[in-house]
Amino acid sequence: REDGKVSSVSVQQLIEQISCMNKAKMIDHIGGMEEGAYEIYNCVEKIIKQDILGCEMTDLEGKDLGNKEDSTAPEEEVFGDVLWDAHDEQEQMEAFQQASNSTCELGFEKYFERLNDLVAAPAPIPPLLIYLQKYSLLSLLFFFSSFIRIQLQQKHSPNTLILYHFVGRPMSTSSESALIIKRLTLKLMQHSWLVSPLTFDPAKLLEEFPRWLEKLSARHQGSIIIIIDSIDQIQQAEKQMKWLIDPLPVNVRVIVSVNVETCPQAWRLWPTLHLDPLNSKDVKSLISVECNSANVKLTKEQEKKLERHCRSATTCNALYVTLLGKTIACVGNTGNTDEILQRCCQCQDTVSLYRLVLRSIQDSLQSDKEKDLLREILCVIGVSHNGLSESELMELYPELTSAVLASLLHSLHKMCLLTYGCGLLKFQHLQAWEMVKLEYMEAGENVISAYRQKLVEYFTMQLSQDRVTWRSADELPWLFQQQGDKQKLHKCLLNLFVSQNLYKRGHFAELLSYWQLVGKDKSSMAAEYFDSLKEYEKSSEGEESMICLADLYETLGRFLKDLGLLSQAVAPLQRSLEIRETALDPDHPRVAQSLHQLAGVYVQWKKFGNAEQLYKQALEISENAYGAEHPRVARELDALATLYQKQNKYEQAEQLRKKSFKIRQKAARQKGSLCGFALLRQRALQLEELTLGKDTSDNARTLNELGVLYYLQNNLETAELFLKRSLEMRERVLGSDHPDCAQSLNNLAALYNEKKHYDKAEELYEKALDIRRRALAPDHPSLAYTVKHLAVLYKKMGKLDKAVPLYELAVEIRQKSFGPKHPSVATALVNLAVLYCQMKKQIEALPLYERALKIYEDSFGQMHPRVGETLKNLAVLSYERGDFEKAAELYKRAMEIKEAETLLIGGKATSRHSSSGDTFSLKSALSPNALLEHGQR
């Protein structure tokens, strides 16, 4: 908008639509696209921190975070020496969540008893095989998610750990056996507090998995259920999953699903469970869900026609019926329902129904250009390895506008053709891709090859611009492999950054398979990598490029170690160590990293004396750099303990393991504060200059931040000194009525609150509130936070009458800021209701709880933890009023939600904050700076 006026009629219409949506956020911006995108990024970051994590922050907080890499070693999630691939894990979580969001259970309850019998049966017991007919994959995801959701609600199995893996389409990363085994192993290690080196070599990984399973299951006090969906889609499934043939540990149960037509012969001897085709009730239920969502009403005659149609083997599966319901719902309000029913009934399988859906989308497009773009989008996504992002599509097709893309994707997603996975667009089901090939690629491999070539040119251009992202590394080598172009694949693999990217994300087997395709054995591959690095070193100048070179040498050394080429691994690791000692400093944490990796090679080589010396050096550097209680120190202690154990020095090993375990326990509790500690190290470098410097607003801000970060380390005395100095400096420089002074007052008040000096805290909060009331808008977030915390303090001190108006003001502020139906308003309502209950004013509390419950249910759904907490509060209120029947009903609902929560993390309920907001801890692991405000950066 400019001078209060919008730039066009279409923008005005958009604003009118947005203004009536309570979950929409509108940003006024005039300027370039990059600036606009940056504004949006900051806004989204702020919403995540404030509304989801509950952090208090100023308008510009976080603006520069992440722009500068920390000067010390990067903080990584480390399992031994194995790096976790966040993308692959997110893909699994999204698959589970999408399945869990199904509104129809499809009558699965009758099968759950059989599965429960399997879990409770005496060992040893082979895997349970679940057979599905072709095209029934949709119902299977629903089935597994339903079983997982209820399994851990069983009171007789509170310690059950469930591990799952959903296999996507063939040849995707989710179908690679080595990645599946690695993921399951790391999940087990995570739950058993065990951190040990884990090989990347796919052959060794598969060979060692039964031993890992035996070892880790013995440490778990309860049952372990492993669920693998569509196991027959795994590449070379029978060979790669041969551990299933061996007797399983006594407390381990395995459930796998296969297609009847592709199940390996050796597996057919296992106990089996056949899922029946959908019955008429299930068909009606699925179609009703889709039609009701679009307010489409079918006549009795139309319902009977659909039920009769969905009785054959190819039309009674969940995917077909869901697609059928969506097709009817989509055109039911705009066209002749009988006509669309007739056309649907002519489609005798899922692929032909998908073709009908695609043609209806084509007919809705206004121009031939849009129809061509639709074809291009579907084909290029289909030939990719793991899908494409929206930005990649727009770079591939410059004529594709945002508006056209958004419209196309809306239709394709709504009709189950495409879905989003980790930000990438991919086909929702294999049958959709089969239909696209039939519709657009009748010429066969030539057409597919042409689209692959387009992607090759796109990702090659990215490499030429030194943009080696995980996307380039995922797609380009795979595309060369599919094209059979060994020469270009070989050249791509010798791009050191591509190989490093694949290796560091654990895609070891994939990298190895590419080298096998170009006809290179392990030794010649190692020699070529080393020669490439030597060549790259000739052009490396300056500290930054030398540090990068050291990283590449280290990656090569680790890669060769995992291949078992120990003698060849020593040279690159030794070179990495030399470069880091020269370019950085002999006591730099990255030097410790090199020492650790080199020691690992000597351990495998049985040269224990060399390894011990290197591990001790790495331990000393890590302790000096990070402090004695850092997870990096724990890693070195674990490595030394393992070394001593191999030498039968059990007493020394046990002492080190105990020390390491204590560090890891403490680190787990403080995990939410790691961001703060990293910033503290960065800011501490400025401390000397700050101490000797002048009074400035910037120095006052830095003092404030240091106070916050010392507080997070539980160093309250030092934190108090910094916060007081910050306040004094701000009062001198800015004046005592400046909002920044209110920030310092607020932080000092929070600190005194933590020290239980409530009178001091009260005085400071009241001063901060007075300043903010005069200086800030009535709906400003900073004002809201001070109101909230002073109200909580009054409540804690028993001054309930003084707390009531502040709690009421908090409700008003949030309604002005977010609208009357926002979850933040519900939280404020619950806070007020809790206060009224404490004052024995149950009549005033009841409507507040009921309104909050409605907001939470509308915003988050019926099964969200906040809904459960509010139901529990309502149950207590009903009980106190003598309505015992209603109290029991509400409490039962609350407990169902609570127990359902446990499934998401494998059997242990996450720690969630009460919806009342008053149980919010000052040092919450989720948001360490919730009450302490950082200055503007």
Side-chain angles (χ1 to χ4, degrees), residues 806-832:
L806 291 178
Y807 275 108
E808 290 173 340
L809 180 58
V811 173
E812 287 177 27
I813 291 172
R814 294 192 184 192
Q815 286 185 151
K816 287 177 183 175
S817 300
F818 307 113
K821 296 181 179 180
H822 194 276
S824 184
V825 175
T827 301
L829 289 166
V830 172
N831 288 340
L832 183 55

Side-chain angles (χ1 to χ4, degrees), residues 77-90:
E77 191 70 39
V78 181
F79 293 86
D81 291 330
V82 180
L83 300 180
W84 186 267
D85 189 346
H87 176 270
D88 291 346
E89 185 58 26
Q90 179 69 13

Side-chain angles (χ1 to χ4, degrees), residues 371-573:
K371 291 176 183 178
D372 291 342
L373 286 170
L374 172 66
R375 181 189 66 241
E376 294 297 303
I377 287 170
L378 290 172
C379 291
V380 79
I381 288 173
V383 301
S384 67
H385 189 198
N386 287 315
L388 294 170
S389 69
E390 291 181 33
S391 59
E392 287 168 346
L393 285 172
M394 294 186 73
E395 288 178 359
L396 281 161
Y397 299 99
E399 69 274 22
L400 182 61
T401 65
S402 300
V404 171
L405 179 61
S407 176
L408 290 174
L409 294 183
H410 174 72
S411 299
L412 294 169
H413 185 267
K414 180 180 177 183
M415 299 308 294
C416 297
L417 275 97
L418 297 182
T419 188
Y420 288 90
C422 300
L424 300 179
L425 287 156
K426 53 188 75 178
F427 282 98
Q428 194 158 340
H429 300 285
L430 195 58
Q431 295 79 11
W433 171 227
E434 289 178 11
M435 177 275 297
V436 167
K437 286 191 286 187
L438 290 171
E439 186 74 7
Y440 293 133
M441 299 180 168
E442 290 182 353
E445 282 300 318
N446 289 338
V447 179
I448 292 175
S449 181
Y451 280 109
R452 283 191 180 137
Q453 185 58 36
K454 187 174 183 69
L455 287 179
V456 164
E457 290 168 6
Y458 171 73
F459 286 111
T460 301
M461 183 181 68
Q462 286 197 340
L463 286 187
S464 67
Q465 297 169 349
D466 293 327
R467 292 170 59 192
V468 183
T469 63
W470 68 273
R471 292 290 299 127
S472 306
D474 263 8
E475 294 291 335
L476 199 53
W478 184 86
L479 287 164
F480 286 138
Q481 183 192 48
Q482 297 303 305
Q483 296 281 65
D485 194 332
K486 295 182 181 180
Q487 187 176 353
K488 287 184 179 177
L489 175 59
H490 188 201
K491 184 180 176 183
C492 180
L493 293 173
L494 288 175
N495 182 314
L496 301 165
F497 295 99
V498 170
S499 297
Q500 183 187 49
N501 192 298
L502 284 170
Y503 173 79
K504 280 203 160 188
R505 291 189 296 115
H507 292 223
F508 185 98
E510 187 181 341
L511 186 56
L512 212 53
S513 69
Y514 293 147
W515 277 105
Q516 288 167 352
L517 183 68
V518 297
K520 302 288 182 180
D521 61 17
K522 293 179 181 180
S523 295
S524 57
M525 175 188 70
E528 288 197 32
Y529 269 139
F530 201 72
D531 290 343
S532 294
L533 264 173
K534 285 289 184 188
E535 197 63 33
Y536 180 78
E537 186 170 354
K538 292 177 183 177
S539 61
S540 296
E541 294 180 1
E543 183 180 310
E544 191 175 335
S545 60
M546 291 305 289
I547 292 170
C548 179
L549 178 66
D551 290 344
L552 289 169
Y553 270 119
E554 183 188 279
T555 301
L556 176 59
R558 291 175 63 176
F559 183 46
L560 299 179
K561 182 185 77 171
D562 285 324
L563 285 170
L565 303 174
L566 301 181
S567 58
Q568 288 167 279
V570 170
L573 289 174

